[in-house]
Amino acid sequence: MYQVPDQQGKLAVVTGANSGTGKETARRLAAAGADVVLAVRTEAKGEQAKAEILAAHPGARAEVRRLDLADQSSVRAFTDGLIADGRPLDVLVNNAGVMNVPARTETVDGFELQLASNFLGPFTLTVRLLPLLLSAPAPRVATMSSGVATRARIDFDDLQSARRYSPTRAYAQSKLADLLLMTRLAGLAAERGWPLLSTGAHPGYTRTNLMTSGPNLNGGRPGLIEALAYRIVPSQGPEQGAEPLLYAAADPGATPGGYYGPRWAVVGPAKPVAVPRPGRDKAAAARLWREAEHLTGESLPAQATA
């Protein structure tokens, strides 16, 4: 099992920390000494996850704060709270997401749900927290993508899947968007001399409720191919599946723009993996960043542009 380096004195925010890879990431960062904010949509579930973490590690420090990435006002309220605290943020883990929502669903902001939860929410979260990140000595932003990003593309002409919606295509596009967010953030850090390390990860085929919660929304259910894949494709639990993300978030060997995944693509210990070609497209990354600024109304804060 991967041993997380000492995190004493660090503040970490982990989204989707009430279950799956998020809870495992929060648990192991807390066990290594970090003060961890469990950023969750349902506070009761977050409190249960916190109780489990503290039961396993009585000396750990963790707190629960509400964050719904599909709601831009919730993201702003969450970031406002951290900014008011004023404490430098050492690690931001963009883990939460939703997968394969069967019917096109719009958020309160009018965004397609998968794009909103998996990309636009994390974009706003990251941009608004940049001043706190850049006030830390060696900050990191680790963003969870997916193996499906390899065969995805960004449809700039129909980014919200309004003309044609496919659950799997929309999910793949959103996870490629996460990779491009990681790539663009790493580029900005290099251009502007920020000490920030932007990294990415994918969990392979990890058994979490992500596989069922999205497909079951609005009375849906997993398709035949998905249902068969759940039974026959090699898979692993969150303990192993979180390790690429933990490496991206905490290991001293992680590199700017580095991408980490299971050794055998779908299962296995974490190792550096190649960023898929669509995720290396710097022009697409810059264009997507501009589009996200337009959609969310958020841009680099003054503290990050000086």
Side-chain angles (χ1 to χ4, degrees), residues 20 28 40 47-48 59-60 108 113 116 170-171 184 196 221 237 250 272 282 292 297:
R28 285 160 75 175
V40 299
E47 292 292 348
Q48 179 60 42
V108 294
L113 179 59
Y171 176 68
R184 181 58 180 157
L196 184 143
R221 61 181 182 178
K282 293 182 179 180

Side-chain angles (χ1 to χ4, degrees), residues 15-29:
T15 68
N18 61 284
S19 66
T21 55
K23 183 168 76 173
E24 182 65 14
T25 298
R27 181 184 74 80
R28 285 160 75 175
L29 287 174

Side-chain angles (χ1 to χ4, degrees), residues 55 73 75 77 85 92 114 132 140 151 168-169 190 193 207 221:
S73 67
V75 180
D85 291 346
L92 171 60
Q114 294 191 83
L132 293 183
R140 292 194 186 201
R151 57 182 184 273
T168 54
R169 188 183 302 113
R207 298 183 301 276
R221 61 181 182 178

Side-chain angles (χ1 to χ4, degrees), residues 142-274:
T143 301
M144 183 73 98
S145 183
S146 168
V148 302
T150 303
R151 57 182 184 273
R153 72 180 185 89
I154 303 296
D155 186 351
F156 286 104
D157 294 326
D158 190 24
L159 193 61
Q160 303 284 346
S161 303
R163 292 199 295 270
R164 184 178 62 154
Y165 180 77
S166 158
T168 54
R169 188 183 302 113
Y171 176 68
Q173 175 182 246
S174 73
K175 300 315 285 183
L176 173 56
D178 284 335
L179 263 186
L180 292 171
L181 170 64
M182 181 272 287
T183 295
R184 181 58 180 157
L185 190 59
L188 287 169
E191 292 168 14
R192 298 166 185 258
W194 297 342
L196 184 143
L197 187 67
S198 176
T199 58
H202 79 85
Y205 202 23
T206 297
R207 298 183 301 276
T208 72
N209 62 9
L210 183 72
M211 294 180 176
T212 55
S213 59
N216 287 320
L217 277 177
N218 304 325
R221 61 181 182 178
L224 178 60
I225 294 176
E226 291 172 277
L228 287 172
Y230 296 161
R231 292 176 171 82
I232 64 175
V233 175
S235 63
Q236 59 193 4
E239 297 81 8
Q240 186 80 68
E243 293 197 348
L245 189 59
L246 283 163
Y247 191 99
D251 200 272
T255 57
Y259 192 44
Y260 306 94
R263 183 175 301 277
W264 298 291
V266 292
V267 295
K271 73 162 195 171
V273 295

Side-chain angles (χ1 to χ4, degrees), residues 11 65 79-89 131-133 135-136:
L11 175 63
R65 298 198 186 193
T79 55
D80 284 347
L82 288 174
I83 291 166
D85 291 346
R87 182 176 173 183
L89 178 60
L132 293 183
L133 285 158
S135 65

